[in-house]
CSV table of all heavy atoms in Angstrom, one decimal:
chain,number,residue,atom,x,y,z
A,108,ASN,N,-8.8,-11.4,-16.7
A,108,ASN,CA,-10.2,-10.9,-16.4
A,108,ASN,C,-10.8,-11.6,-15.2
A,108,ASN,O,-12.0,-11.7,-15.1
A,108,ASN,CB,-11.1,-11.0,-17.6
A,108,ASN,CG,-10.6,-10.2,-18.7
A,108,ASN,OD1,-10.1,-9.1,-18.6
A,108,ASN,ND2,-10.9,-10.6,-20.0
A,136,VAL,N,-22.4,-9.8,-22.8
A,136,VAL,CA,-21.3,-9.8,-21.7
A,136,VAL,C,-20.1,-10.4,-22.3
A,136,VAL,O,-20.1,-11.5,-22.9
A,136,VAL,CB,-21.8,-10.7,-20.5
A,136,VAL,CG1,-20.8,-10.7,-19.5
A,136,VAL,CG2,-23.1,-10.1,-20.0
A,137,GLN,N,-19.0,-9.7,-22.2
A,137,GLN,CA,-17.7,-10.1,-22.8
A,137,GLN,C,-16.6,-9.9,-21.9
A,137,GLN,O,-16.7,-9.2,-20.9
A,137,GLN,CB,-17.5,-9.4,-24.2
A,137,GLN,CG,-17.2,-7.9,-24.0
A,137,GLN,CD,-16.7,-7.2,-25.3
A,137,GLN,OE1,-16.6,-7.8,-26.3
A,137,GLN,NE2,-16.5,-5.9,-25.2
A,138,GLY,N,-15.4,-10.4,-22.2
A,138,GLY,CA,-14.2,-10.1,-21.5
A,138,GLY,C,-13.3,-9.3,-22.3
A,138,GLY,O,-13.4,-9.2,-23.6
A,139,ALA,N,-12.4,-8.6,-21.7
A,139,ALA,CA,-11.4,-7.7,-22.4
A,139,ALA,C,-10.3,-8.5,-23.0
A,139,ALA,O,-10.0,-9.6,-22.5
A,139,ALA,CB,-10.9,-6.6,-21.5
A,140,ALA,N,-9.7,-8.0,-24.0
A,140,ALA,CA,-8.4,-8.5,-24.5
A,140,ALA,C,-8.4,-10.0,-24.9
A,140,ALA,O,-7.5,-10.7,-24.7
A,140,ALA,CB,-7.3,-8.3,-23.5
A,141,GLY,N,-9.6,-10.4,-25.5
A,141,GLY,CA,-9.6,-11.7,-26.1
A,141,GLY,C,-9.8,-12.9,-25.2
A,141,GLY,O,-9.6,-14.1,-25.6
A,142,THR,N,-10.1,-12.7,-23.9
A,142,THR,CA,-10.4,-13.8,-23.1
A,142,THR,C,-11.7,-13.4,-22.2
A,142,THR,O,-11.9,-12.2,-22.0
A,142,THR,CB,-9.3,-14.2,-22.2
A,142,THR,OG1,-9.5,-15.5,-21.6
A,142,THR,CG2,-9.0,-13.2,-21.1
A,143,PHE,N,-12.4,-14.4,-21.8
A,143,PHE,CA,-13.7,-14.1,-21.1
A,143,PHE,C,-13.5,-13.7,-19.7
A,143,PHE,O,-13.5,-12.6,-19.3
A,143,PHE,CB,-14.7,-15.3,-21.3
A,143,PHE,CG,-16.1,-14.9,-20.8
A,143,PHE,CD1,-16.9,-14.1,-21.6
A,143,PHE,CD2,-16.6,-15.4,-19.6
A,143,PHE,CE1,-18.2,-13.8,-21.2
A,143,PHE,CE2,-17.8,-15.1,-19.2
A,143,PHE,CZ,-18.6,-14.3,-20.0
A,144,CYS,N,-13.3,-14.7,-18.8
A,144,CYS,CA,-13.1,-14.5,-17.4
A,144,CYS,C,-12.6,-15.7,-16.7
A,144,CYS,O,-13.1,-16.8,-17.0
A,144,CYS,CB,-14.5,-14.0,-16.8
A,144,CYS,SG,-14.4,-13.8,-15.0
A,184,ALA,N,-23.7,-14.3,-23.5
A,184,ALA,CA,-22.3,-14.3,-23.2
A,184,ALA,C,-21.5,-14.5,-24.4
A,184,ALA,O,-21.7,-15.6,-25.1
A,184,ALA,CB,-22.0,-15.3,-22.1
A,185,LEU,N,-20.5,-13.6,-24.7
A,185,LEU,CA,-19.6,-13.8,-25.9
A,185,LEU,C,-18.3,-14.4,-25.3
A,185,LEU,O,-17.5,-13.7,-24.7
A,185,LEU,CB,-19.4,-12.4,-26.5
A,185,LEU,CG,-18.3,-12.4,-27.6
A,185,LEU,CD1,-18.6,-13.4,-28.7
A,185,LEU,CD2,-18.3,-11.0,-28.2
A,186,VAL,N,-18.1,-15.7,-25.6
A,186,VAL,CA,-17.0,-16.4,-25.0
A,186,VAL,C,-15.9,-16.5,-26.0
A,186,VAL,O,-15.9,-17.3,-26.9
A,186,VAL,CB,-17.5,-17.8,-24.6
A,186,VAL,CG1,-16.3,-18.5,-23.9
A,186,VAL,CG2,-18.6,-17.8,-23.6
A,187,GLU,N,-14.9,-15.6,-25.8
A,187,GLU,CA,-13.6,-15.7,-26.5
A,187,GLU,C,-12.6,-16.1,-25.4
A,187,GLU,O,-12.6,-15.7,-24.3
A,187,GLU,CB,-13.2,-14.3,-27.0
A,187,GLU,CG,-14.0,-13.8,-28.1
A,187,GLU,CD,-13.5,-12.5,-28.7
A,187,GLU,OE1,-13.6,-11.4,-28.1
A,187,GLU,OE2,-12.8,-12.6,-29.8
A,188,GLY,N,-11.7,-16.9,-25.9
A,188,GLY,CA,-10.7,-17.4,-24.9
A,188,GLY,C,-11.3,-18.3,-23.9
A,188,GLY,O,-12.3,-19.1,-24.2
A,189,SER,N,-10.9,-18.2,-22.6
A,189,SER,CA,-11.3,-19.1,-21.6
A,189,SER,C,-12.4,-18.5,-20.6
A,189,SER,O,-12.2,-17.3,-20.3
A,189,SER,CB,-10.1,-19.6,-20.7
A,189,SER,OG,-9.2,-20.3,-21.5
A,190,ALA,N,-13.4,-19.3,-20.3
A,190,ALA,CA,-14.3,-18.9,-19.2
A,190,ALA,C,-14.1,-20.0,-18.2
A,190,ALA,O,-14.6,-21.1,-18.3
A,190,ALA,CB,-15.8,-18.9,-19.7
A,198,THR,N,-21.2,-17.2,-17.5
A,198,THR,CA,-21.9,-17.5,-18.8
A,198,THR,C,-23.3,-18.1,-18.6
A,198,THR,O,-24.1,-17.8,-19.5
A,198,THR,CB,-21.0,-18.5,-19.7
A,198,THR,OG1,-21.1,-19.8,-19.1
A,198,THR,CG2,-19.6,-18.1,-19.8
A,205,LEU,N,-22.6,-17.5,-27.0
A,205,LEU,CA,-21.9,-17.6,-28.3
A,205,LEU,C,-20.4,-17.8,-28.1
A,205,LEU,O,-19.8,-17.1,-27.3
A,205,LEU,CB,-22.2,-16.3,-29.1
A,205,LEU,CG,-23.6,-16.0,-29.4
A,205,LEU,CD1,-23.7,-14.7,-30.2
A,205,LEU,CD2,-24.3,-17.1,-30.3
A,206,MET,N,-19.9,-18.8,-28.8
A,206,MET,CA,-18.5,-19.1,-28.6
A,206,MET,C,-17.7,-18.8,-29.9
A,206,MET,O,-18.2,-18.8,-31.0
A,206,MET,CB,-18.3,-20.6,-28.2
A,206,MET,CG,-18.9,-20.9,-26.9
A,206,MET,SD,-18.6,-22.6,-26.4
A,206,MET,CE,-16.9,-22.5,-25.9
A,207,VAL,N,-16.4,-18.4,-29.7
A,207,VAL,CA,-15.5,-18.2,-30.8
A,207,VAL,C,-14.6,-19.4,-30.9
A,207,VAL,O,-14.2,-20.0,-29.9
A,207,VAL,CB,-14.7,-16.9,-30.5
A,207,VAL,CG1,-13.6,-16.7,-31.5
A,207,VAL,CG2,-15.7,-15.7,-30.6
A,208,PRO,N,-14.2,-19.8,-32.1
A,208,PRO,CA,-13.2,-20.9,-32.3
A,208,PRO,C,-12.0,-20.6,-31.3
A,208,PRO,O,-11.4,-19.6,-31.2
A,208,PRO,CB,-12.8,-20.8,-33.7
A,208,PRO,CG,-14.0,-20.2,-34.4
A,208,PRO,CD,-14.5,-19.2,-33.5
A,209,GLY,N,-11.7,-21.7,-30.6
A,209,GLY,CA,-10.6,-21.6,-29.6
A,209,GLY,C,-11.1,-21.2,-28.2
A,209,GLY,O,-10.4,-21.3,-27.2
A,210,GLY,N,-12.4,-20.9,-28.1
A,210,GLY,CA,-13.0,-20.6,-26.8
A,210,GLY,C,-13.2,-21.8,-26.0
A,210,GLY,O,-13.4,-22.9,-26.6
A,211,MET,N,-13.3,-21.7,-24.7
A,211,MET,CA,-13.5,-22.8,-23.8
A,211,MET,C,-14.3,-22.4,-22.6
A,211,MET,O,-14.0,-21.3,-22.0
A,211,MET,CB,-12.2,-23.4,-23.4
A,211,MET,CG,-12.2,-24.5,-22.4
A,211,MET,SD,-10.6,-25.1,-21.9
A,211,MET,CE,-10.0,-23.7,-21.0
A,212,ILE,N,-15.2,-23.2,-22.2
A,212,ILE,CA,-15.9,-23.0,-20.9
A,212,ILE,C,-15.6,-24.2,-20.0
A,212,ILE,O,-15.7,-25.4,-20.4
A,212,ILE,CB,-17.5,-23.0,-21.1
A,212,ILE,CG1,-17.8,-21.8,-22.0
A,212,ILE,CG2,-18.2,-22.9,-19.8
A,212,ILE,CD1,-19.3,-21.7,-22.4
A,265,LEU,N,-19.2,-18.3,-33.6
A,265,LEU,CA,-18.9,-17.1,-34.4
A,265,LEU,C,-17.6,-17.3,-35.1
A,265,LEU,O,-16.7,-18.1,-34.7
A,265,LEU,CB,-18.9,-15.9,-33.6
A,265,LEU,CG,-20.2,-15.6,-32.8
A,265,LEU,CD1,-20.0,-14.3,-32.0
A,265,LEU,CD2,-21.4,-15.5,-33.6
A,266,GLU,N,-17.3,-16.6,-36.2
A,266,GLU,CA,-16.0,-16.6,-36.8
A,266,GLU,C,-14.9,-16.0,-36.0
A,266,GLU,O,-13.8,-16.5,-36.0
A,266,GLU,CB,-16.1,-16.0,-38.2
A,266,GLU,CG,-17.1,-16.7,-39.2
A,266,GLU,CD,-17.1,-16.0,-40.5
A,266,GLU,OE1,-16.3,-15.0,-40.7
A,266,GLU,OE2,-17.9,-16.4,-41.4
A,267,GLY,N,-15.3,-14.9,-35.3
A,267,GLY,CA,-14.3,-14.3,-34.5
A,267,GLY,C,-13.4,-13.3,-35.3
A,267,GLY,O,-13.5,-13.2,-36.6
A,268,SER,N,-12.4,-12.7,-34.7
A,268,SER,CA,-11.6,-11.7,-35.4
A,268,SER,C,-10.2,-12.3,-35.7
A,268,SER,O,-9.7,-13.1,-35.0
A,268,SER,CB,-11.4,-10.5,-34.5
A,268,SER,OG,-10.9,-10.8,-33.3
A,269,LEU,N,-9.7,-11.9,-36.8
A,269,LEU,CA,-8.4,-12.4,-37.2
A,269,LEU,C,-7.2,-11.7,-36.5
A,269,LEU,O,-6.1,-12.3,-36.3
A,269,LEU,CB,-8.2,-12.2,-38.7
A,269,LEU,CG,-9.2,-12.9,-39.6
A,269,LEU,CD1,-9.0,-12.6,-41.1
A,269,LEU,CD2,-9.1,-14.4,-39.4
A,270,ASP,N,-7.4,-10.5,-36.0
A,270,ASP,CA,-6.4,-9.7,-35.4
A,270,ASP,C,-6.3,-9.9,-33.9
A,270,ASP,O,-5.5,-9.3,-33.2
A,270,ASP,CB,-6.4,-8.3,-35.8
A,270,ASP,CG,-7.8,-7.6,-35.4
A,270,ASP,OD1,-8.6,-8.3,-34.7
A,270,ASP,OD2,-8.0,-6.4,-35.6
A,271,GLY,N,-7.3,-10.7,-33.3
A,271,GLY,CA,-7.3,-10.9,-31.9
A,271,GLY,C,-7.9,-9.7,-31.1
A,271,GLY,O,-7.9,-9.7,-29.9
A,272,SER,N,-8.4,-8.7,-31.8
A,272,SER,CA,-9.0,-7.5,-31.1
A,272,SER,C,-10.4,-7.8,-30.5
A,272,SER,O,-10.8,-7.1,-29.6
A,272,SER,CB,-9.1,-6.4,-32.1
A,272,SER,OG,-10.0,-6.6,-33.1
A,273,GLY,N,-11.1,-8.8,-31.0
A,273,GLY,CA,-12.4,-9.1,-30.6
A,273,GLY,C,-13.5,-8.2,-31.2
A,273,GLY,O,-14.7,-8.4,-31.0
A,274,ALA,N,-13.1,-7.3,-32.1
A,274,ALA,CA,-14.0,-6.4,-32.7
A,274,ALA,C,-15.0,-7.1,-33.6
A,274,ALA,O,-16.2,-6.9,-33.6
A,274,ALA,CB,-13.3,-5.3,-33.5
A,275,ASN,N,-14.5,-8.0,-34.4
A,275,ASN,CA,-15.4,-8.8,-35.3
A,275,ASN,C,-16.3,-9.7,-34.6
A,275,ASN,O,-17.5,-9.8,-34.9
A,275,ASN,CB,-14.6,-9.6,-36.3
A,275,ASN,CG,-13.9,-8.8,-37.4
A,275,ASN,OD1,-14.0,-7.6,-37.4
A,275,ASN,ND2,-13.1,-9.4,-38.2
A,276,ALA,N,-15.9,-10.3,-33.5
A,276,ALA,CA,-16.7,-11.2,-32.7
A,276,ALA,C,-17.8,-10.4,-32.1
A,276,ALA,O,-19.0,-10.8,-32.0
A,276,ALA,CB,-15.9,-11.9,-31.6
A,277,LEU,N,-17.5,-9.2,-31.6
A,277,LEU,CA,-18.5,-8.4,-30.9
A,277,LEU,C,-19.6,-7.9,-32.0
A,277,LEU,O,-20.8,-8.0,-31.7
A,277,LEU,CB,-17.9,-7.2,-30.3
A,277,LEU,CG,-18.9,-6.2,-29.6
A,277,LEU,CD1,-19.7,-6.9,-28.5
A,277,LEU,CD2,-18.1,-5.0,-29.0
A,279,GLU,N,-20.3,-9.5,-34.7
A,279,GLU,CA,-21.1,-10.7,-35.0
A,279,GLU,C,-22.2,-11.0,-33.9
A,279,GLU,O,-23.3,-11.4,-34.2
A,279,GLU,CB,-20.2,-11.9,-35.2
A,279,GLU,CG,-19.4,-12.0,-36.4
A,279,GLU,CD,-18.6,-13.3,-36.5
A,279,GLU,OE1,-19.2,-14.4,-36.8
A,279,GLU,OE2,-17.4,-13.3,-36.2
Side-chain angles (χ1 to χ4, degrees):
N108 295 328
V136 179
Q137 66 170 2
T142 194
F143 188 74
C144 174
L185 172 55
V186 182
E187 292 187 281
S189 298
T198 70
L205 297 177
M206 300 185 71
V207 171
M211 176 184 66
I212 299 174
L265 306 178
E266 293 182 4
S268 56
L269 298 178
D270 60 1
S272 67
N275 287 358
L277 180 57
E279 286 184 76

